[in-house]
Amino acid sequence: DVKVTQSSRYLVKRTGEKVFLECVQDMDHENMFWYRQDPGLGLRLIYFSYDVKMKEKGDIPEGYSVSREKKERFSLILESASTNQTSMYLCASSSIYASGGNTEAFFGQGTRLTVV
Amino acid sequence: RKEVEQDPGPFNVPEGATVAFNCTYSNSASQSFFWYRQDCRKEPKLLMSVYSSGNEDGRFTAQLNRASQYISLLIRDSKLSDSATYLCVVNGGNYGQNFVFGPGTRLSVLP
């Protein structure tokens, strides 16, 4: 059974703290993604990575950074947490090789982050 | 114009009803198409991929019209357990990197 695992389901942090969200996938996927999901705004891409040490900005990268030192692990870092970063964070992975040509995304269970 | 648009919803239907969701996308270079299901406070999960010839999985039928840039999902004989938000997703990247998610349509199946 394929799996994307996020380190925490729920997290409460204080304004100004440095926050690390970890994501691990066991499918040997090349692509990994970080999204945030907010009511009425849908899923928005923060960063993605297509290979180890490679990263690309998504639609809303401000206030975030990422790290991919190993193929299976993709970390999202909030350098200085702010209350407007309170959200549901979803990690996903996908392969660049897919049978039938459809490269679906597999999601982790999500981390609900509250910044107080 | 948003890249992927869906019926605004919510849809409230009785058990046993047939319900159809519509989705349009703006990037004509999109290559892969999906319907995802998301339960409240959970992660999205793949419901089905959508192929050009149309495809069916039990009570679910998906259609793709590339010329019109339109995707549909039909659910027959709705069950209470079908209550969820349905996300239309397209992918235009050469290496499966450019997932674009629609805003979702919420379905409530009522007893």
Side-chain angles (χ1 to χ4, degrees), chain B residues 14-35:
Chain B
E15 269 187 291
T18 295
V19 60
F21 298 123
N22 302 304
C23 170
T24 56
Y25 60 94
S26 60
N27 183 359
S28 59
S30 298
Q31 298 171 11
S32 303
F33 309 89
F34 310 91
W35 284 102

Side-chain angles (χ1 to χ4, degrees), chain A residues 9 31 33 35 37 43 48 50 88 90 94 96 101-105 107-109 112, chain B residues 31-34 36 38 41-44 46 49-51 87 91 95-97 99 101:
Chain A
R9 285 297 296 271
N31 299 324
F33 309 84
Y35 296 91
Q37 187 174 32
L43 273 92
F48 78 92
Y50 54 90
M88 169 76 129
L90 289 157
S94 74
I96 63 174
N102 272 11
T103 54
E104 66 180 278
F107 284 87
Q109 77 276 30
R112 195 163 290 278
Chain B
Q31 298 171 11
S32 303
F33 309 89
F34 310 91
Y36 276 72
Q38 187 173 23
R41 303 178 78 84
K42 296 284 184 70
E43 75 274 22
L46 181 69
S49 300
V50 187
Y51 300 107
L87 302 170
N91 191 329
Y95 298 103
Q97 297 159 345
F99 290 98
F101 292 81

Side-chain angles (χ1 to χ4, degrees), chain B residues 10-96:
Chain B
F11 285 22
N12 299 313
V13 303
E15 269 187 291
T18 295
V19 60
F21 298 123
N22 302 304
C23 170
T24 56
Y25 60 94
S26 60
N27 183 359
S28 59
S30 298
Q31 298 171 11
S32 303
F33 309 89
F34 310 91
W35 284 102
Y36 276 72
R37 170 198 169 120
Q38 187 173 23
D39 293 297
C40 189
R41 303 178 78 84
K42 296 284 184 70
E43 75 274 22
K45 292 185 177 178
L46 181 69
L47 177 67
M48 57 198 303
S49 300
V50 187
Y51 300 107
S52 296
S53 55
N55 46 301
E56 189 173 304
D57 183 2
R59 299 181 291 109
F60 300 86
T61 301
Q63 298 279 353
L64 168 64
N65 184 323
R66 284 185 185 265
S68 303
Q69 294 178 204
Y70 166 83
I71 308 163
S72 66
L73 175 68
L74 186 76
I75 305 176
R76 290 181 299 278
D77 188 23
S78 300
K79 312 290 185 192
L80 296 176
S81 57
D82 293 334
S83 297
T85 296
Y86 290 83
L87 302 170
C88 176
V89 184
V90 305
N91 191 329
N94 289 331
Y95 298 103

